[in-house]
Amino acid sequence: YCLISNNIMMKILVTGGTGYIGSHTVVELQKKGFDVIIVDALFNSRIEVIDAIEKITGIRPEFESFDLANQTLTDDFFARHTDIKGIIHFAAHKAVGESVEQPIKYYRNNLDSLMNILEAMNKYHVPNLVFSSSCTVYGEPDVNPVTENSPIKKATSPYGNTKQIAEEVIAD
């Protein structure tokens, strides 16, 4: 990986960066010398995580709190941060049971946020994306363990379906 381009540290956006996996990713990126900015609506996490990241790394990551499913706010963010070179996208509603009870909430949040990010990447020339998917994209597997080569079957929840659809959108 290349941390420096034209003597400037590469800026990486971590969406959902105050969540469990997101915050650990932020710590590792900062340890490797990346300039990290977090966007998190704090639906499933707490603002105090920013303090914990700073305590661990000695670096307070830049942070903005808003819902990436809001196209206007997402576009405004990218217009102000044109130096982002990559995105690691963790932000999503993630509870399988809740997704069955409130499927529209999951489709709107998980897919709208992704599409807003993809549009902004194109508009502002952000070249790299890491998408955090889920094992739920494989549906009910025939064989365990599930691998990247396992067949993708019909998702068993709206959450899993949003991840399947997201992978298809990214591939398209």
Side-chain angles (χ1 to χ4, degrees), residues 91-141:
H93 290 319
K94 59 183 176 53
V96 171
E98 182 184 62
S99 78
V100 173
E101 296 168 7
Q102 300 177 51
I104 299 299
K105 173 183 175 180
Y106 277 70
Y107 285 106
R108 283 201 192 277
N109 182 74
N110 296 1
L111 297 176
D112 286 352
S113 62
L114 174 67
M115 288 185 282
N116 290 342
I117 288 168
L118 292 173
E119 285 181 341
M121 287 180 73
N122 189 40
K123 182 175 181 180
Y124 297 101
H125 310 289
V126 179
N128 302 294
L129 172 70
V130 175
F131 174 69
S132 178
S133 192
S134 169
C135 187
T136 60
V137 301
Y138 297 102
E140 289 294 328

Side-chain angles (χ1 to χ4, degrees), residues 9-31:
M9 288 191 327
M10 287 182 57
K11 184 180 275 187
I12 305 296
L13 167 61
V14 179
T15 70
T18 61
Y20 182 78
I21 297 171
S23 63
H24 283 75
T25 300
V26 169
V27 166
E28 293 306 313
L29 287 168
Q30 287 182 327
K31 285 181 179 179

Side-chain angles (χ1 to χ4, degrees), residues 67-80:
D67 186 351
L68 289 156
N70 181 311
Q71 186 174 21
T72 302
L73 294 177
T74 301
D75 188 69
D76 175 68
F77 170 83
F78 279 94
R80 292 182 288 108

